[in-house]
Amino acid sequence: MDASQMEARIRELYAGGDLAEFAKAQLEMAADDFVQEWPQSGERIRGRDNVDKLNQSYEASTGTSPQMTLRRILKPGEAWVIEGTIDYGDGIPVSAVSIFEFDAEGKLRRETDYFANPFEPPAWRSHLVERMEPEPAAVG
């Protein structure tokens, strides 16, 4: 899959907003020795099978069906950076950044995900910053 096909596929998956569909596509794109990392919780998942089992257990274990929204894609080089938001069912837009690394055959070799909940900025720095509109929660 070339870069333009990959971008189109990522945009298509985010347009649907369904994290379960994204997980299925992730599995199709992944190499057998795929590694997914979540630095904020200190977790690493090795291998397509373990990632698949985790994704299949998610809704049953958490009681939520997350929805996602694409913000932007920075592409290629050695990695793709994908920025979006996830709504875990409570209407709060959690910012998410994923870094995708592909092998020479175009298979997803490594994914690193970062998640951040929104928070109110402290008053002490208000004179140094401008406020942005918060990212909306996904509708789905």
Side-chain angles (χ1 to χ4, degrees):
M1 183 177 304
D2 69 20
S4 62
Q5 292 169 317
M6 181 62 67
E7 180 178 3
R9 181 68 174 133
I10 291 168
R11 289 187 183 283
E12 174 189 339
L13 289 166
Y14 272 85
D18 187 334
L19 207 53
E21 287 301 313
F22 185 86
K24 288 178 192 174
Q26 174 193 49
L27 201 60
E28 293 169 9
M29 295 186 318
D32 290 337
D33 58 352
F34 174 65
V35 175
Q36 186 171 10
E37 295 182 342
W38 299 331
Q40 288 170 282
S41 61
E43 297 172 283
R44 177 179 294 122
I45 306 108
R46 288 191 184 277
R48 284 171 34 129
D49 291 341
N50 287 334
V51 170
D52 186 35
K53 288 174 189 169
L54 185 141
N55 287 334
Q56 288 182 27
S57 301
Y58 190 89
E59 185 175 352
S61 298
T62 66
T64 66
S65 298
Q67 298 290 307
M68 59 189 184
T69 304
L70 180 67
R71 280 194 209 153
R72 65 184 178 148
I73 299 172
L74 301 178
K75 58 177 185 170
E78 292 187 24
W80 290 56
V81 177
I82 302 164
E83 182 181 355
T85 58
I86 300 174
D87 177 355
Y88 286 95
D90 57 6
I92 298 172
V94 175
S95 295
V97 174
S98 296
I99 302 168
F100 286 9
E101 299 174 52
F102 295 90
D103 65 16
E105 287 78 44
K107 289 288 192 178
L108 185 59
R109 176 72 59 186
R110 179 181 220 82
E111 177 179 342
T112 304
D113 299 314
Y114 296 90
F115 308 97
N117 288 337
F119 61 91
E120 284 299 314
W124 67 263
R125 62 183 182 217
S126 64
H127 68 288
L128 300 172
V129 303
E130 63 183 65
R131 292 300 304 263
M132 299 174 6
E133 287 297 314
E135 290 295 325
V139 176

